[in-house]
Amino acid sequence: MIADLGFALSTISYGLLLLLLFTVRKAGLAKYLLILATAATSLWSLSHINALFGPVIINQLLLFDTCKQLIWLVFLLSCIKNDFYNLKEVIARPFSMLMLAIPLIAIGLPFFLQLDITWRFLLQTVIALQLLVMLELIYRQAGEHKWAYKPLILYLGATNLFEFVTYANATMVGSLEVNYIAARGFIYAVLLPLLVLAIRRIKHWGVDIFISREIVLHSSLLMVAGGYLFIMAMAGYFVKYIGGQWGGTIQIVLIALSTALLMTLFLSNSLRMKIRVFITKHFFANQFDYRIEWLKLTESLPSNESDLTAVYRNALGGLMQAIDYNSGILIKKQGQSLRVVSQTERDDLSPREWQLLDDFSRYCEHKNWIIDIEELRYKPFVYEGLKVNHALLNECSFQIVLPIYKSQQLWGLALMSSDQSSRRLNWELRDYLSAVTAQVSSYVFHNEAGKEVAENAQFAAFNRMSAFVLHDLKNVLAQIDLILCNAEQHKDNPEFIDDTFETLQHTKARMDKMLRQLTDKNEAQQNHEKLCTVSIALDNVITHKCAGNLPEPRLNVLHEKQLVIDEEKFCNVMYHLISNAQQATPDDGSVTITVDMNQLGNFLLVTIADTGEGMSQDFIERRLFKPFDTTKGNAGMGIGAYDAKNFVEKIGGSIQVQSTQDKGSVFTLSFPAE
């Protein structure tokens, strides 16, 4: 009876596999031989059911075993190479003929000769050994595909190893062990999943078996239940064995408790959900082609948007197209209130929906979880901690709520709906939407940060312009102060009066220009470059701006070319550098300005050398050209050297500084002369 149960289970299992193989439309030699081997194994199991056909006599058993092994051997011979097109190519090889000779002899020889049963057992032992050798050969030749072939090797290796042990034992004792024969059906049925796994892994066979998730789930639960009951049965047997007259009672108690526990597990929705997610994650293909979906999402989020309204609209569109929804609202949380920043293909929210959103936002502040309105209606236990008026859900016009987070804080919510029935949120769709939301939120946050940076840059530009204006005002004030200091002494000198009016006229022009720069944005963008003789410009700076300070600068002109530059800006830069040199040099020191050309004649060099207090190398590298960093306290702005470097480099030149503390400094400015 037990043997019939095992062979019946084996017959049904291989019969179901045979039906699955018949559903495969792709043609191929491996497919046909696999169908033949599966059918042979199913018929072989069927022939061993005593309740249907009566006891199997020894000759029939050996014949059926040999035919089954022969077909599996042909199948393995076809697996040696991947380019067999028909059965003739497989059988015609010398190696195949040699391997098939023994099974054919085992089938045909008993019809012509009366062999001792021991020899027939020996032939079966050799055939099982042949199959094991073939498996070893296939595994060695698999190369990088060993992982795919491993289940097949385990399946046929285990079954043929059992056949080898069975017939080797029969050869030695002269008869088959009944328990071995009775166990064969169970062994073949239990090992069948390895064959199914091999079929799914070995792609070039062209066999793609599909089993629904529900079938796998229920099969897995039945397998778990079977294992559980087996363990409990063994425990009951052990208790009965050692418990004496109390063993039966204890066994009954254990069975009752174990049955109650098993029913509890089966009725547990969370357990079933965890098993379902595990099976789907590890045994089935993904619902989405993530490479294609990611490209579509990237294309829907253009990076050249300057308007935040368009950014919000693109973000909402990216979320909707990810799961084929056609309407949605993007809501941003500002303080304790919610504000709609974008909406597509839908009406405004009703007051009751806003009431729901307040509950959803409070829930999402503490838990990052996508809300499915339909699931919330029928499975509220999934959303532990979410307290809503379920009567309001019937008036809800959206189907899904996606929370968006920024730095672990709730940024807002995306509400989406579809004209069609809503999609069921399984684990994969939730993971997919979480990844899409992360990408879309990154796009939104990047553009929001870009807008803030642009606004800050505008303020920074205004502050920078204000700093330069203040710097120029300080210079104008210095010129007026110079006039006032010399007015008492030279007020009766006509030349002084003329110079005073010229300076005031120049000062007024500077003030007018500064006012235009503050009020007219285009003024700062106008080009004021013209042909300039550097030595004349430097002489004017020394004569009109620096002559009142000591030591008096000296100008040496060796070689020069005219430059096309903004002369007024050039004079301001030179004045700042010369004035700084005068302030750093004692009255009895020297400040020398030299104009020369470099050896190639393509750069004009202006050198300002002083014998002042000098600077350290660390100060030159870290602070000299840093804006708003000054050593003059409130008397300086800290932008003179920075302005000089910025001006020279902007026109393609450079500025170099050499300095020794207590000995002096040398500033060398290079201007392109071509």
Side-chain angles (χ1 to χ4, degrees), residues 359-383:
D359 296 332
F360 291 158
S361 64
R362 284 193 292 270
Y363 172 75
C364 293
E365 284 177 355
H366 301 95
K367 187 171 183 179
N368 184 356
W369 191 251
I370 300 171
I371 300 174
D372 182 356
I373 302 300
E374 191 70 17
E375 186 180 50
L376 179 60
R377 284 194 184 103
Y378 299 105
K379 298 180 180 179
F381 56 85
V382 176
Y383 302 88

Side-chain angles (χ1 to χ4, degrees), residues 116-240:
D116 184 71
I117 193 66
T118 305
W119 287 99
R120 298 183 68 181
F121 291 156
L122 181 60
L123 285 174
Q124 294 297 324
T125 306
V126 174
I127 293 172
L129 186 60
Q130 279 184 295
L131 284 162
L132 292 173
V133 171
M134 283 295 303
L135 291 174
E136 195 263 347
L137 178 62
I138 291 173
Y139 190 68
R140 286 182 179 275
Q141 291 184 352
E144 61 182 11
H145 301 293
K146 286 183 178 180
W147 174 82
Y149 276 94
K150 187 175 293 184
L152 177 68
I153 303 301
L154 292 174
Y155 166 73
L156 288 177
T159 54
N160 283 281
L161 184 61
F162 180 78
E163 299 287 356
F164 178 82
V165 172
T166 299
Y167 283 106
N169 180 71
T171 302
M172 290 186 291
V173 301
S175 64
L176 285 170
E177 176 63 39
V178 176
N179 291 332
Y180 285 165
I181 300 301
R184 296 166 94 188
F186 291 103
I187 291 174
Y188 274 81
V190 169
L191 293 175
L192 181 61
L194 290 173
L195 178 60
V196 176
L197 185 59
I199 293 171
R200 289 186 59 85
R201 284 188 181 182
I202 304 175
K203 300 299 182 183
H204 68 265
W205 285 357
V207 181
D208 188 13
I209 295 178
F210 173 78
I211 305 174
S212 71
R213 289 162 165 79
E214 296 296 328
I215 291 296
V216 175
L217 171 65
H218 294 304
S219 300
S220 301
L221 289 175
L222 288 174
M223 186 178 295
V224 171
Y228 177 77
L229 291 175
F230 173 77
I231 294 174
M232 296 308 300
M234 292 298 296
Y237 176 81
F238 177 75
V239 170
K240 184 176 181 180

Side-chain angles (χ1 to χ4, degrees), residues 4 43 45-57 60 64:
D4 284 355
L43 292 173
S45 301
L46 182 64
S47 68
H48 284 71
I49 302 177
N50 295 334
L52 296 178
F53 305 103
V56 181
I57 62 175
Q60 290 179 336
F64 294 157

Side-chain angles (χ1 to χ4, degrees), residues 14 38 78 88 108 142 151 155 169 207 239 246-247 259 276 298 327 344 352 362 369 413 422 449 470 476 524 570 662:
Y14 284 88
T38 304
S78 70
K88 182 179 178 181
Y155 166 73
N169 180 71
V207 181
V239 170
W246 292 98
T259 304
R276 185 191 301 273
T298 303
S327 62
T344 302
R352 288 179 172 269
R362 284 193 292 270
W369 191 251
L413 302 170
S422 61
L470 289 174
V476 169
F570 173 78
D662 300 327

